[in-house]
Amino acid sequence: MFAISLGEGAELRPIEPWQAQEFLAHIERAREYAGPWVPLTTLVTDLESARERLQAHADRQAADTGRLCGVWLDGVLVGGVFFRIFDTATESCEVGVWLEPSAAGRGLITRASRVLIDWAVDQRGMHRVEWMASSANAPSIAVAERLGITRDGVLRESFPWQGVRHDMEVWSVLAPEWRKAREERAAAGDGGSAAR
């Protein structure tokens, strides 16, 4: 299994079905914080549903239609990044993220998302990477902004979730834009690395 350092004791690595117990414990810690925005928090309620959800992601990875990675901080699973949509025919994908409150404010999701987007653009030839967030989800929008992703527009009241119809913001970055921004970060001394 691979592990990519995100710096400061954090790593990005796959979450696999055999880790269902650890995944369930993490979702329990994340449920209240991420629940208003992340449907995953209602789908994983016990060990069986945790295993089923992880197996579904493993199946999507095997079919080349998705990928799920966890963010570990000091050896504890604290969040995740994944491709909700991964379409090689249209060369477009959508990144989704979540985090538990103990890890918020450290830049982990920003750094993990950079790794995922770098891989999609550089290794898989994705041309368009999307980021969708409820207009009320300020932390997710802040990550999109830090990543340098452009706000395309708003799908008004398009996502009914927990009794509320959310306006969903569509953000995107195109491969040439992503590469240029990475070069600019490197020239500015950031190095463009995942650990920054």
Side-chain angles (χ1 to χ4, degrees):
M1 166 174 36
F2 75 83
I4 297 171
S5 173
L6 298 174
E8 301 173 20
E11 317 184 290
L12 180 69
R13 52 185 150 114
I15 308 174
E16 300 176 356
W18 62 269
Q19 296 168 301
Q21 186 65 56
E22 183 175 13
F23 183 58
L24 175 61
H26 157 63
I27 292 298
E28 290 295 337
R29 295 188 303 269
R31 196 176 313 280
E32 186 175 332
Y33 182 73
W37 323 112
V38 182
L40 175 69
T41 59
T42 63
L43 299 172
V44 175
T45 56
D46 55 23
L47 188 56
E48 182 179 342
S49 61
R51 190 174 292 113
E52 287 172 359
R53 182 62 34 201
L54 292 177
Q55 186 60 56
H57 281 284
D59 293 345
R60 291 186 65 217
Q61 181 172 327
D64 201 25
T65 59
R67 182 171 296 264
L68 170 67
C69 294
V71 175
W72 274 262
L73 180 61
D74 298 324
V76 176
L77 179 61
V78 295
V81 294
F82 70 109
F83 291 113
R84 195 181 80 75
I85 297 169
F86 194 83
D87 187 339
T88 57
T90 63
E91 299 176 341
S92 62
C93 59
E94 179 191 333
V95 175
V97 301
W98 77 91
L99 195 63
E100 64 183 61
S102 67
R106 299 173 184 239
L108 297 175
I109 291 299
T110 302
R111 294 191 307 259
S113 296
R114 276 192 187 140
V115 171
L116 217 60
I117 296 170
D118 280 347
W119 180 83
V121 168
D122 296 338
Q123 302 300 315
R124 298 309 311 281
M126 289 291 156
H127 179 72
R128 178 181 170 88
V129 179
E130 292 186 346
W131 186 281
M132 302 276 288
S134 167
S135 294
N137 188 349
S140 184
I141 291 168
V143 173
E145 290 171 340
R146 280 193 299 277
L147 289 169
I149 299 176
T150 300
R151 183 176 180 258
D152 291 342
V154 177
L155 302 173
R156 296 179 309 137
E157 296 186 6
S158 65
F159 184 64
W161 177 242
Q162 298 180 339
V164 176
R165 294 198 68 85
H166 291 264
D167 290 349
M168 294 301 289
E169 296 195 10
V170 180
W171 294 69
S172 71
V173 65
L174 304 180
E177 298 166 343
W178 184 255
R179 289 185 187 107
K180 181 180 178 190
R182 186 172 52 204
E183 289 170 7
E184 290 171 355
R185 283 194 314 271
D190 181 10
S193 73
R196 299 193 194 273

